[in-house]
Amino acid sequence: MNIAVFVKSTTYHHGYGGLETQNKTLCEGLAKRGHRITVFSPKRELDVPSKDENGVSYIFIPSVYRLGLFNNKNNWVNRSYEKFKELHEKEKFDLVLSQSSAGLGVIRRKQELEIKVVSVSHGTILGELKTKFKNITSFKDALRSAPDLIFSMRVFFGRQRDFIHGSNKVIAVSNAVKKALLEETFVDENKVEVVHNGIDPSMFSQRPGKYGKVHLIYLGRVIRSKGVILLVEMIKDLNCILDVVGNGDDMDAMRREAEGLGISQKVVLHGQIPPDQVAGSLLRSDIFVFPTLRMEGLPMVLVEAMFSGLPIVAFDMGGVGDAVEDGVNGFLLKEDDVGGFKARLNELIESADLRFQMSQASIDRAHKEFTVENMAAKYENIFMEVITQ
């Protein structure tokens, strides 16, 4: 198949995250299966019009991504449609894959273009709003959130519904995302299928030795809504070291919390590390902690932790339960059960046998459900179904 992929940014752009990494992995997985993949993305800060890597072609389009109040001809929706139409007229694409609403320019004109569209939903706008409201702790926070509320309402009543209802099929990255889509957009349940994100297991084949003392690892943004401040409080009396990998607005707050509790020596803030060092950091650790207070889609850090053979202790938020099976490869706690989270952590810290048992369960579950080959094959089946409808 000749497939066009629309995404708001790529791993070539600054500050990329899980969505961009998943898109790269998926596109390269599809290319390995013999498909021709062209990725359309805003140019943003990049100084080149295109790139080719691992069988995937990238086209970077000069445009303004975030829509203003008016329909500017230079916005992404218009520019991406124009570029796609130009190439589509030369050599027909078989299908469009839209990462979230990035393909709206084509979705709104798919009848004219005679093209079918599959979209991927990584989360929902009300899920984001719930997180924002839950983390408002002052009048200043409320004022700061007001513009986000206005923008989110526009997306909820406009862009989200447009791309969900305008697509021929929607892929949700977790069962929680599918449930939220059904509740927020009233889309036909048969139109939405769950496909878990996958990664390349070979990244985790080299297994360095463990540390001497039990090491917990948190990998992700260091922001209050990820539960990082709670995490410092929870480990105060536990016999472990906490490694924090990542950057965020609450790095200083986390450092101050550790100092205030007198446990600075137990909390190691590594900051951002190069992507090729992430697997090594996970593989040297003993337990993965994910105390998020956010409504998550399917955090890829959980999948990476599973391939690294780590038991996981997490709050059961959004799609976290798609990765963590309570009592099997880790523990899931209700979001307000801080005491339970701490107790389960201590249980794992004190029992090497339990860590080993859950480690093996994590590896087994990861290879069964979360490989890139599995993900690409499921996407391919959905594409074929849509094309032949």
Side-chain angles (χ1 to χ4, degrees):
M1 282 180 276
N2 188 14
I3 302 169
V5 179
F6 288 77
V7 65
K8 66 180 181 178
S9 63
T10 70
T11 52
Y12 295 111
H13 292 86
H14 296 319
Y16 71 85
L19 188 153
E20 293 79 12
T21 302
Q22 183 267 349
N23 187 67
K24 172 183 168 66
T25 302
L26 173 62
C27 289
E28 292 180 2
L30 291 168
K32 285 181 180 179
R33 297 177 74 86
H35 302 290
R36 182 177 175 185
I37 309 296
T38 304
V39 176
F40 295 77
S41 181
K43 188 175 182 182
R44 299 186 187 269
E45 78 280 3
L46 301 180
D47 57 3
V48 293
S50 62
K51 277 185 178 290
D52 290 278
E53 183 183 17
N54 296 331
V56 179
S57 297
Y58 294 82
I59 296 175
F60 304 116
I61 303 171
S63 60
V64 177
Y65 185 78
R66 187 165 179 171
L67 292 179
L69 293 176
F70 302 100
N71 188 22
N72 187 318
K73 67 178 182 179
N74 289 318
N75 70 35
W76 166 252
V77 168
N78 291 328
R79 290 300 188 204
S80 60
Y81 157 72
E82 291 166 0
K83 187 63 178 178
F84 174 82
K85 184 179 179 182
E86 174 192 331
L87 296 183
H88 189 50
E89 288 174 348
K90 293 178 182 176
E91 187 171 356
K92 294 287 185 183
F93 287 95
D94 297 303
L95 185 97
V96 164
L97 178 67
S98 173
Q99 291 282 6
S100 297
S101 61
L104 261 184
V106 172
I107 292 171
R108 288 171 176 169
R109 302 171 176 94
K110 69 184 177 73
Q111 301 299 331
E112 165 203 329
L113 295 164
E114 298 181 345
I115 192 77
K116 293 186 176 180
V117 182
V118 175
S119 291
V120 186
S121 179
H122 298 263
T124 64
I125 196 65
L126 286 190
E128 282 297 311
L129 276 179
K130 288 175 185 175
T131 295
K132 288 181 185 296
F133 284 130
K134 188 162 41 177
N135 287 280
I136 291 176
T137 57
S138 67
F139 181 67
K140 185 184 292 185
D141 288 341
L143 286 178
R144 204 162 30 220
S145 297
D148 288 333
L149 174 61
I150 295 169
F151 178 74
S152 296
M153 286 297 95
R154 289 176 56 217
V155 172
F156 176 70
F157 289 108
R159 192 181 302 182
Q160 177 171 275
R161 290 175 182 269
D162 283 354
F163 94 83
I164 294 297
H165 288 283
S167 301
N168 297 88
K169 200 83 171 179
V170 178
I171 294 173
V173 299
S174 70
N175 288 289
V177 170
K178 177 175 180 176
K179 181 175 183 292
L181 284 177
L182 299 180
E183 293 172 349
E184 292 180 27
T185 69
F186 305 105
V187 64
D188 183 348
E189 183 174 0
N190 294 322
K191 191 175 181 178
V192 184
E193 291 198 32
V194 175
V195 179
H196 293 137
N197 293 335
I199 59 178
D200 180 2
S202 67
M203 298 163 54
F204 303 91
S205 58
Q206 301 293 326
R207 296 196 170 270
K210 298 280 188 180
Y211 299 104
K213 198 167 189 176
V214 173
H215 274 241
L216 318 182
I217 184 168
Y218 167 83
L219 175 63
R221 284 185 293 165
V222 184
I223 53 177
R224 194 172 295 269
S225 63
K226 287 286 191 177
V228 291
I229 306 300
L230 281 177
L231 193 54
V232 175
E233 297 170 0
M234 283 190 277
I235 69 159
K236 179 184 177 183
D237 303 318
L238 302 184
N239 185 25
C240 64
I241 300 294
L242 170 64
D243 292 297
V244 179
V245 179
N247 280 325
D249 294 340
D250 290 312
M251 286 281 283
D252 287 340
M254 197 172 188
R255 186 178 290 107
R256 288 195 299 271
E257 185 72 16
E259 290 172 352
L261 293 172
I263 57 169
S264 296
Q265 75 283 358
K266 293 176 63 172
V267 180
V268 184
L269 302 176
H270 296 271
Q272 201 75 36
I273 64 174
D276 60 359
Q277 294 181 19
V278 169
S281 295
L282 289 167
L283 289 164
R284 279 190 295 271
S285 303
D286 299 285
I287 303 166
F288 190 84
V289 284
F290 198 68
T292 186
L293 304 174
R294 301 173 61 88
M295 295 303 294
E296 303 283 349
L298 177 62
M300 290 310 294
V301 290
L302 297 181
V303 178
E304 292 172 337
M306 289 163 65
F307 274 108
S308 302
L310 296 182
I312 301 167
V313 182
F315 285 129
D316 189 8
M317 297 292 288
V320 172
D322 279 31
V324 185
E325 188 175 356
D326 186 42
V328 179
N329 68 322
F331 294 112
L332 281 177
L333 291 305
K334 292 182 178 179
E335 63 178 290
D336 57 352
D337 190 5
V338 176
F341 196 111
K342 180 176 179 178
R344 291 303 198 186
L345 260 184
N346 192 52
E347 191 177 338
L348 277 167
I349 290 168
E350 296 299 320
S351 175
D353 288 342
L354 182 59
R355 292 200 303 273
F356 178 78
Q357 174 187 326
M358 289 190 164
S359 169
Q360 295 305 302
S362 272
I363 292 172
D364 292 344
R365 184 167 174 78
H367 281 271
K368 180 179 179 181
E369 183 63 30
F370 295 100
T371 65
V372 64
E373 290 83 4
N374 209 0
M375 172 179 65
K378 290 180 179 180
Y379 270 76
E380 185 179 64
N381 289 338
I382 292 172
F383 294 165
M384 290 300 299
E385 176 191 335
V386 169
I387 287 174
T388 56
Q389 282 176 345

